[in-house]
Amino acid sequence: MLHVAASGSYSGHDIGVLLAVILLCFLALAVCGVYLIVSATRRGGQADTTWGQWRYVALLCACGALGFYLWGCSHLLFLDETRQFEACLEAGGPEKAARVNAFVGDFIPLRLLCRTDGGGSYSAGVPGYVNPVVAVLTLGTAAAGAYATSLRAQLRKKSAPEGIER
């Protein structure tokens, strides 16, 4: 878990850090998306090799993961102290929300934790589907990227002259 340092008992995500994360995610999504579009259209929408097709799959998964993470961050962007409490009220109901004594912001997984005076906590502020989708797409990115890399290494090994290994 990646915790954000809280300045007081009622704190959530640091707005400066959250804005930096949003900016970096947006830039990474833009670069990844533009690269995917340019490389796909340059070849008429088709990869010339199997490893190239898997590279496209990895890029699509990465764009999806970044997009969903950015979507989750956008839900947290406008949560001031009052709205944080409202998010806790909506997620846990009036009984749990009445016992909230602190908010803690996590970036991995992306969530706002509502800490209760009994020592428990529950998640609020980010739609429940965001973290599982980001996790699956991130694993898909890693798997497709690793497979594409192994296919490319096999192709290079086959195309290298005998006795010379790259």
Side-chain angles (χ1 to χ4, degrees):
M1 276 186 260
L2 182 62
H3 291 291
V4 177
S7 58
S9 63
Y10 280 97
S11 184
H13 292 83
D14 181 272
I15 190 69
V17 175
L18 184 60
L19 286 173
V21 167
I22 288 173
L23 178 65
L24 288 174
C25 281
F26 183 76
L27 289 174
L29 180 61
V31 167
C32 187
V34 167
Y35 177 77
L36 181 63
I37 291 168
V38 167
S39 63
T41 56
R42 185 177 60 196
R43 292 186 178 94
Q46 301 212 359
D48 52 354
T49 60
T50 304
W51 75 266
Q53 292 170 348
W54 281 101
R55 181 186 60 187
Y56 289 159
V57 171
L59 285 167
L60 280 172
C61 287
C63 287
L66 285 166
F68 273 98
Y69 192 82
L70 195 57
W71 177 250
C73 285
S74 71
H75 280 82
L76 297 172
L77 186 60
F78 300 107
L79 291 181
D80 59 2
E81 186 177 318
T82 303
R83 289 193 177 127
Q84 286 176 356
F85 181 77
E86 289 172 1
C88 290
L89 179 65
E90 184 179 318
E95 288 181 21
K96 278 187 177 179
R99 298 182 311 152
V100 169
N101 62 8
F103 305 111
V104 178
D106 288 339
F107 283 98
I108 301 174
L110 186 62
R111 63 187 174 177
L112 173 70
L113 281 177
C114 305
R115 299 246 184 219
T116 59
D117 54 10
S121 63
Y122 60 96
S123 185
V126 178
Y129 60 85
V130 170
N131 287 316
V133 170
V134 169
V136 167
L137 289 172
T138 301
L139 290 174
T141 300
Y147 188 61
T149 302
S150 71
L151 288 174
R152 187 171 186 193
Q154 288 174 4
L155 183 66
R156 282 186 174 178
K157 204 175 210 182
K158 286 180 185 177
S159 66
E162 284 188 36
I164 300 176
E165 197 170 308
R166 291 185 188 180

